[in-house]
Amino acid sequence: MSETDLEIAVDDPTAPEPDSPAVASTGTVDVVASLLLIALAVTLGYDNWRTGISWDSTGPQAGYFPFYLAVILAGASLYGLVAAFLSRKEAAETFVTRAQARRVLAVFVPTLLFCLVTQFLGLYVASFVLIAGFMRWVGKIALWKSLLTAFVFTALMFVTFDIAFDVIMPKGPLEAAFGH
């Protein structure tokens, strides 16, 4: 038997159950994504049209290239919208199940909270909390390992960005207490 005939199957004990109910179909997600992209293209197109989309004596105005990129985005989104309505078989397929959505939200919500908390506690404290939290609750790693890893990583980030490269990062009250 050659090496290409070998297959390694690894079961994921945290994999979502296969009989989980559907949350959204592929067709619904295609239509919603296309409509959102069309709205974005219209907004960008209008803003760049307002800025100026023609040529003047010095060359193209500021909105010239972005306007035509918005037109291309709108055209591609319209194509996606039409394709979504024409493909009935694909449209009925499940895009995401409840269990899969729960797993995605388990990553998305803490990441969103990280972005919000960064504004108040600073990048380093928020990073520490995010890393330790992910390792502990998502990874099921021992508390001491999670805290140690988060501390070492955050300290390395601080030394690298704030001290070695002198990059201005969002800081919070803890850094202010230490004079940074």
Side-chain angles (χ1 to χ4, degrees):
M1 182 173 355
S2 69
E3 286 186 34
T4 57
D5 292 338
L6 296 177
E7 183 177 319
I8 298 173
V10 179
D11 290 332
D12 181 4
T14 63
E17 54 274 4
D19 59 345
S20 180
V23 173
S25 68
T26 301
T28 303
V29 172
D30 285 346
V31 169
V32 169
S34 293
L35 289 173
L36 288 173
L37 286 172
I38 288 171
L40 176 66
V42 168
T43 303
L44 293 173
Y46 172 74
D47 189 50
N48 288 300
W49 171 78
R50 200 177 42 79
T51 304
I53 62 168
S54 61
W55 286 74
D56 61 12
S57 61
T58 60
Q61 291 178 319
Y64 182 81
F65 291 113
F67 175 79
Y68 288 104
L69 288 175
V71 169
I72 292 169
L73 177 62
S77 300
L78 282 172
Y79 174 81
L81 191 60
V82 170
F85 281 120
L86 292 179
S87 64
R88 295 285 177 210
K89 182 182 176 195
E90 241 182 57
E93 293 177 8
T94 299
F95 179 76
V96 65
T97 63
R98 184 178 297 149
Q100 292 169 334
R102 195 175 309 122
R103 289 180 71 160
V104 169
L105 289 176
V107 174
F108 177 74
V109 171
T111 305
L112 179 66
L113 290 174
F114 164 76
C115 294
L116 297 173
V117 168
T118 298
Q119 304 302 313
F120 303 104
L121 297 181
L123 179 68
Y124 302 113
V125 173
S127 295
F128 174 84
V129 172
L130 180 73
I131 293 165
F134 266 116
M135 289 181 72
R136 181 70 182 140
W137 286 286
V138 176
K140 308 285 189 238
I141 296 174
L143 180 62
W144 73 270
K145 290 179 184 178
S146 302
L147 293 174
L148 179 64
T149 303
F151 178 78
V152 169
F153 180 78
T154 305
L156 286 173
M157 274 186 11
F158 179 79
V159 168
T160 302
F161 293 117
D162 263 61
I163 296 172
F165 293 116
D166 198 27
V167 176
I168 298 170
M169 294 294 202
K171 295 190 179 64
L174 182 65
E175 293 91 347
F178 286 112
H180 284 280

